[in-house]
């Protein structure tokens, strides 16, 4: 490709990559560049020359990594050759997004492969006017579809017995459609476990003949939606399937590899691998930054602080947190065992109310008022609009706002009084959230 055409190619690629990565996080993408090296074996013919050329490609990649400094925040394509040259495409992203990339590394691997495959194909076709307004959505969809298909490969026995027909190529469509179904006017909530063998599960209910019962496909969406009513996110009880057959309802045994799809009541579903979140989809859009708190993470977190908490109060507390995150308005929620004692002590810094049990409906109204909401581990609220006070330990963060720093001071104050039966949830106006203790 001629130099002037390379410049046009980069402008087109820059536009696409900006739109793609902005769907995940603002200011993620920085630039794309082309790196080239001379190919010392441009006319490889013999097997020995082919091996030598491949070896030189590895050397060129190592040289590129040395130039870029491996600590830099970059994605690097596979090598491709043209006119006696070895080329690499390099995507630079904002170093502040390293934690995001690390957390969702599995998905980003599929995304960058999809992007680089598309760009290199356009390069080889000598097509340097390839931008269109819908290509970014197509590329993201393809990357998610590849990601979900790979999960089916790992669970359906494809890698062991090499049966292509076992692969479920409709995973993305099935889960998306399922997230929109209602059952008796109730939105979809529940859990599905994907595993490569029913022997990996402890069943509560096991279907007598899975092949007669039904397959994990779009013709069985209504059945799958009914079965989700038998599952429990907190108890980790889900539909057991290998992405083809539906085996029953149960839990995955410890130490077994599995994937899970968790459905929430706002058309959102999340894929996890052994409890590690991999990707979240809401209303057909991918969500990485400010993603949900997984039920298992929240369960572990809350159980350490309030080991005696009931199933009902845990579930209600989780729904309250979800509601606050969804409204994306800055607020503070303090959950502490001696909430009533605290609120009486600082009545001049709060709006006191008769004790009322909070839920996902009434908490929205209270969060519209500046200040913190105070409730106990039973979700009984004693006041709102609370001005948090505490001890400045010198560990404040100037880059964070008043909510974060006042919450940290309050938490430090409670710890100084040997009160560890509490946590503080802080939601920023931009949708980011934190907990004390972390």
């Amino acid at each position: 490709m001629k130099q002037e055409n390379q410049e046009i190619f980069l402008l087109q690629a820059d536009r696409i990559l900006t739109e793609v990565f902005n769907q995940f996080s603002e200011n993620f993408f920085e630039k794309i560049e082309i790196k080239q090296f001379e190919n010392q074996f441009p006319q490889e013919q013999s097997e020995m020359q082919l091996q030598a050329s491949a070896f030189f490609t590895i050397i060129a990649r190592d040289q590129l990594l040395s130039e870029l400094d491996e600590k830099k925040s970059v994605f690097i394509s596979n090598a491709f050759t043209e006119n006696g040259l070895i080329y690499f495409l390099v995507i630079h992203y904002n170093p502040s997004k390293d934690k995001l990339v690390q957390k969702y590394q599995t998905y980003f691997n599929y995304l960058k492969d999809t992007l680089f495959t598309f760009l290199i194909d356009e390069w080889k076709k000598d097509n340097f006017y390839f931008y269109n307004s819908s290509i970014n959505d197509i590329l993201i969809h393809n990357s998610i579809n590849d990601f979900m298909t790979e999960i089916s490969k790992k669970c359906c026995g494809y890698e062991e017995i090499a049966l292509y027909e076992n692969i479920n190529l409709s995973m993305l469509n099935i889960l998306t459609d399922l997230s929109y179904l209602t059952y008796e006017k109730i939105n979809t909530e529940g859990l599905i476990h994907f595993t490569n063998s029913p022997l990996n599960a402890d069943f509560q209910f096991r279907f007598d003949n899975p092949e007669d019962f039904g397959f994990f496909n779009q013709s069985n969406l209504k059945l799958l939606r009914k079965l989700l009513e038998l599952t429990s996110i907190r108890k980790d009880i889900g539909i057991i399937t290998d992405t083809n057959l539906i085996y029953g309802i149960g839990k995955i045994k410890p130490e077994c590899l599995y994937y899970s799809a968790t459905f929430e009541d706002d058309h959102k579903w999340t894929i996890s691998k052994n409890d590690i979140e991999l990707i979240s989809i809401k209303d057909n859009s991918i969500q990485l930054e400010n993603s949900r708190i997984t039920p298992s993470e929240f369960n572990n977190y809350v159980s350490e602080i309030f080991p005696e908490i009931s199933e009902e109060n845990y579930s209600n507390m989780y729904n309250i947190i979800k509601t606050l995150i969804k409204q994306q308005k800055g607020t503070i929620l303090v959950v502490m065992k001696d909430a009533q004692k605290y609120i009486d002590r600082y009545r001049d810094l709060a709006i006191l109310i008769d004790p009322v049990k909070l839920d996902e409906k009434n908490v929205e109204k209270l969060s519209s008022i500046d200040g913190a909401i105070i409730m106990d581990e039973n979700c009984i609220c004693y006041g709102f609009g609370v001005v948090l006070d505490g001890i400045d330990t010198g560990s404040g963060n100037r880059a964070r706002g008043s909510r974060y720093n006042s919450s940290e001071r309050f938490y430090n104050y409670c710890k100084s009084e040997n009160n560890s039966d509490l946590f503080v949830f802080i939601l920023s106006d931009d949708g980011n959230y934190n907990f004390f203790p972390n």
Side-chain angles (χ1 to χ4, degrees):
M1 187 179 286
K2 296 179 180 178
Q3 182 64 37
E4 59 269 26
N5 292 342
Q6 287 188 23
E7 293 175 2
I8 299 172
F9 176 91
L10 288 175
L11 288 172
Q12 298 278 301
D14 187 281
R15 189 172 179 185
I16 288 173
L17 294 172
T18 298
E19 293 182 5
V20 166
F21 287 113
N22 273 353
Q23 292 200 31
F24 307 137
S25 177
E26 291 185 1
N27 303 316
F28 184 102
F29 171 70
E30 290 189 341
K31 67 175 181 178
I32 180 172
E33 60 179 338
I34 301 166
K35 293 290 187 179
Q36 66 182 45
F37 301 86
E38 287 189 13
N39 188 353
Q40 295 183 7
F41 301 90
Q43 302 298 324
E44 61 266 26
Q45 296 294 330
S46 68
E47 183 177 347
M48 183 176 294
Q49 286 175 318
L50 285 169
Q51 291 175 351
S53 179
F55 179 70
F56 186 75
T57 298
I58 295 172
I59 294 175
R61 186 179 180 86
D62 288 342
Q63 183 179 339
L64 173 60
L65 288 171
S66 178
E67 288 179 11
L68 293 171
D69 179 355
E70 289 188 64
K71 295 181 180 179
K72 294 257 184 173
S73 304
V74 295
F75 299 133
I76 303 174
S77 74
N78 292 328
F80 58 101
T81 59
E82 183 183 72
N83 299 328
L85 295 173
I86 298 174
Y87 291 96
F88 296 92
L89 298 180
V90 182
I91 295 173
H92 295 256
Y93 64 88
N94 190 331
S96 69
K97 307 299 181 181
D98 278 339
K99 287 185 178 179
L100 182 69
V101 173
Q102 183 179 5
K103 181 176 181 180
Y104 298 102
Q105 185 68 57
T106 303
Y107 171 68
F108 272 109
N109 287 338
Y110 286 91
L111 176 63
K112 66 184 179 67
D113 286 349
T114 300
L115 295 173
F116 283 136
T117 298
F118 168 76
L119 293 172
I120 292 172
D121 284 347
E122 298 304 316
W123 175 288
K124 290 180 176 179
K125 290 186 292 187
D126 210 26
N127 179 17
F128 40 88
Y129 286 107
F130 49 85
Y131 172 83
N132 66 66
S133 58
S134 61
I135 192 64
N136 58 326
D137 290 327
I138 294 172
L139 290 170
I140 291 174
H141 180 275
N142 290 346
S143 68
I144 300 172
N145 197 56
D146 290 345
F147 173 78
M148 296 304 302
T149 300
E150 186 65 25
I151 290 177
S152 181
K153 286 182 180 180
K154 292 181 182 299
C155 295
C156 73
Y158 167 78
E159 295 180 336
E160 287 77 18
I161 57 179
L163 291 178
Y164 180 80
E165 58 265 29
N166 282 357
I167 302 172
N168 192 329
L169 301 176
S170 301
M171 290 280 287
L172 176 58
N173 291 334
I174 293 168
L175 297 180
T176 299
D177 291 347
L178 191 56
S179 71
Y180 283 92
L181 285 184
T182 59
Y183 180 73
E184 296 184 351
K185 299 183 179 180
I186 300 173
N187 289 336
T188 300
E189 286 191 13
L191 187 63
I192 300 175
H193 291 313
F194 305 107
T195 184
N196 62 7
S197 170
L199 298 176
N200 294 337
D202 288 323
F203 286 94
Q204 284 194 338
F205 311 102
R206 183 165 184 173
F207 305 134
D208 185 42
N209 191 341
E211 291 189 5
D212 293 338
F213 188 77
F215 290 88
F216 191 81
N217 55 32
Q218 286 178 291
S219 64
N220 254 342
L221 285 176
K222 289 186 177 180
L223 171 63
L224 287 167
R225 178 62 190 88
K226 287 181 180 179
L227 293 177
L228 282 173
E229 292 298 303
L230 302 176
T231 68
S232 168
I233 294 174
R234 189 188 181 194
K235 294 181 179 179
D236 209 26
I237 296 171
I239 297 171
I240 306 296
T241 175
D242 61 4
T243 74
N244 283 289
L245 295 175
I246 305 169
Y247 294 103
I249 307 295
K251 297 179 67 171
I252 300 296
K253 295 176 182 178
E255 309 304 324
C256 290
L257 174 67
Y258 69 99
Y259 294 84
S260 297
T262 305
F263 294 87
E264 299 186 62
D265 60 357
D266 50 358
H267 313 306
K268 181 177 178 180
W269 51 276
T270 299
I271 292 293
S272 302
K273 179 181 179 181
N274 285 57
D275 255 359
I276 299 173
E277 182 180 329
L278 300 180
I279 192 174
S280 288
I281 306 292
K282 180 179 179 181
D283 294 327
N284 287 315
S285 297
I286 191 168
Q287 290 192 327
L288 298 183
E289 207 165 45
N290 305 326
S291 189
R292 71 185 182 94
I293 306 167
T294 65
S296 59
E297 287 174 338
F298 190 69
N299 182 28
N300 293 337
Y301 181 80
V302 170
S303 296
E304 286 187 11
I305 300 170
F306 306 113
E308 304 297 326
I309 190 171
S310 68
E311 170 79 23
E312 178 188 355
N313 287 327
Y314 159 81
S315 179
N316 191 34
M317 194 180 296
Y318 180 65
N319 288 333
I320 288 171
I321 296 287
K322 282 201 310 180
T323 299
L324 294 175
I325 291 174
K326 278 195 292 184
Q327 69 181 19
Q328 292 194 354
K329 180 189 180 300
T331 193
I332 301 171
L333 174 68
V334 176
V335 182
M336 57 193 310
K337 198 165 188 177
D338 54 356
Q340 188 169 20
K341 176 183 174 183
Y342 172 82
I343 209 77
D344 288 339
R345 185 174 176 182
Y346 293 96
R347 57 176 52 247
D348 58 329
L349 298 175
I351 300 172
L352 274 62
I353 59 175
D354 291 337
V356 61
K357 192 172 183 75
L358 291 186
D359 56 35
E360 55 192 305
K361 295 179 180 178
N362 57 19
V363 74
E364 285 190 75
K365 297 178 181 179
L366 296 186
S367 66
S368 64
I369 305 297
D370 288 339
I373 302 168
I374 307 286
M375 72 178 191
D376 63 21
E377 75 276 20
N378 299 314
C379 302
I380 304 298
C381 177
Y382 300 93
F384 61 95
V386 182
V387 178
L388 296 182
D389 198 3
I391 297 174
D392 185 1
T393 61
S395 60
N397 188 339
R398 292 187 180 88
R400 304 301 301 268
S402 59
R403 288 190 190 93
Y404 180 92
N405 285 293
S406 62
S407 297
E408 182 181 34
R409 287 195 299 271
F410 171 76
Y411 178 71
N412 289 333
Y413 164 74
C414 292
K415 280 204 307 181
S416 71
E417 292 201 336
N418 297 318
N419 183 356
S420 59
D421 299 326
L422 84 156
F423 71 84
V424 185
F425 169 75
I426 311 103
L427 180 70
S428 301
D429 287 321
D430 61 6
N432 287 309
Y433 54 78
N434 295 91
F435 284 87
F436 287 113
N438 291 321

